[in-house]
Amino acid sequence: MHKNIWVLTAAQALMMSLNSLTIFVGAFVGTNLAPTPELATLPVATTVVGTAFSTVPLTLAMQKLGRKYTFLLVAVYSFFLCWITAYVIQLSNFYLFSLCTLLLGSNSATLMQYRFAAMESVAHQDGPKAASIVLIGGIASAFLGPEIAVQGRLLLDAEFAGSYAIISSLFLFGIVLLSFFKNTVLQHEQSITIGRSWRELLSQPILWVAIFGAAIGYAIMTFIMTATPVSMHLVDGHSLDDTKKVIQSHIVAMYLPSLFTGLLIKKVGTKKLMISGLIIYSICISVAFHGHTFFHYWWALLLLGLGWNFLFLGGTALLPFAYAPSERFRIQGLNDFTVFGSQALASLSSGWIVHSFGWKWLLILTLPFILLQLFFILWWTKRTAN
């Protein structure tokens, strides 16, 4: 494997820890600072909104500057913003904290581009394996983020302000690692051909299966995951430590299967992998619906992570079949904007729904989207069979 793969994997492990930190503590800080309980998950939601709105500017930056310098600039920016976030928590300003998490969304958007950079570093047939390896970095972040959250919780006067101060140091190591990254696609290659029109590109069923596989997978995962700390800790009274274990296990379940997902794609194909992801999501919802014990939450979130992995990597593996090299930034930008836009809507609505209607209704609302993705897969199968 190209050295870029290992650089990106290690950098992802460090800098994705910010995501798992915010997932874990965002709702708790929000609960402490928000004017109403319904707004408690807003800081988590604004991270996703920031991710969605960063996708297009990031793809434009990478076209102009290349992937390496864009990755480095965002890492430096995130380092300073983590310190600002810590200061804002000290000020006990809910809306400024939400603004900071919004601005930190660009870090998430950049990390999602790592999988495309990895796929461009290897032969076409090795692309899914390369993307899978990079996502394995998320396993380390599953432990680093929540552990830093707990260790830094009382470090400064305001609860969890020290967590953001500590995590900023990981970005310094990430910057050093990214200095070894090498751009593998020449800048001028993007302008050799104009590429197909948007109408031609969007008429491909495979494009919609790829985009909506990742988008629906991410939206359902975020919808349930964002509400879990609220439902588990604040509503059902489970301890902060138990809640941490559930979130950590969930994030591990998101990324650990990447060790074999690339091989599964070669063995059974992306269609069967994505259908398996939808089945796992259905089992997850059933488990979560039938109880509020620690193990109901733990098993449900474990299955949620596995289902996400199959859908997200399935969509990622399919996407390159929908574009030529000269079209890649347009399609990658559309893909990530759709993925994170749907994730943003899910995250923004999650806190309000769990507070207003409860955990079970939140779970029921995911079912139509599982059926929608199944429809797209069947449509693609029918079109390719003709």
Side-chain angles (χ1 to χ4, degrees), residues 114-343:
Y114 283 14
R115 71 195 194 278
F116 294 127
M119 293 170 79
E120 290 165 8
S121 301
V122 297
H124 193 273
Q125 66 271 18
D126 294 325
K129 184 180 178 182
S132 296
I133 291 171
V134 169
L135 286 181
I136 290 169
I139 298 171
S141 73
F143 292 97
L144 283 171
E147 285 301 328
I148 287 172
V150 172
Q151 297 303 318
R153 180 184 178 186
L154 303 175
L155 183 66
L156 300 176
D157 293 337
E159 192 175 32
F160 296 115
S163 306
Y164 281 92
I166 293 172
I167 211 160
S168 66
S169 62
L170 299 186
F171 283 87
L172 293 177
F173 292 106
I175 291 163
V176 173
L177 283 167
L178 289 171
S179 67
F180 294 98
F181 176 81
K182 183 178 181 182
N183 285 319
T184 53
V185 180
L186 296 176
Q187 284 290 92
H188 67 268
E189 287 184 11
Q190 299 134 31
S191 57
I192 292 174
T193 58
I194 296 172
R196 289 168 289 176
S197 67
W198 276 113
R199 183 177 179 178
E200 290 176 289
L201 290 169
L202 297 178
S203 66
Q204 305 173 92
I206 192 173
L207 178 65
W208 293 109
V209 174
I211 289 177
F212 278 100
I216 289 173
Y218 237 121
I220 291 175
M221 183 275 293
T222 302
F223 194 57
I224 295 173
M225 178 194 64
T226 303
T228 296
V230 175
S231 180
M232 188 175 177
H233 181 59
L234 301 179
V235 176
D236 290 334
H238 291 281
S239 70
L240 187 65
D241 189 57
D242 280 349
T243 306
K244 179 190 74 171
K245 288 175 185 175
V246 166
I247 294 298
Q248 283 179 326
S249 299
H250 164 68
I251 298 172
V252 170
M254 287 174 65
Y255 297 108
L256 185 61
S258 300
L259 291 167
F260 58 82
T261 309
L263 294 174
L264 273 178
I265 290 172
K266 285 188 176 181
K267 291 287 184 183
V268 304
T270 50
K271 181 172 70 175
K272 289 182 180 178
L273 185 80
M274 294 174 85
I275 290 173
S276 298
L278 295 174
I279 293 169
I280 292 167
Y281 266 4
S282 301
I283 298 170
C284 156
I285 292 161
S286 178
V287 170
F289 192 85
H290 283 93
H292 292 259
T293 69
F294 169 80
F295 285 105
H296 280 94
Y297 281 111
W298 188 81
W299 276 110
L301 271 288
L302 206 69
L303 291 166
L304 187 70
L306 179 61
W308 172 86
N309 185 277
F310 284 8
L311 286 165
F312 184 67
L313 273 175
T316 298
L318 274 184
L319 196 67
F321 291 96
Y323 60 79
S326 59
E327 300 162 341
R328 76 189 191 282
F329 281 119
R330 284 197 292 162
I331 295 299
Q332 289 170 7
L334 172 67
N335 177 78
D336 280 4
F337 180 78
T338 306
V339 169
F340 296 115
S342 60
Q343 187 191 12

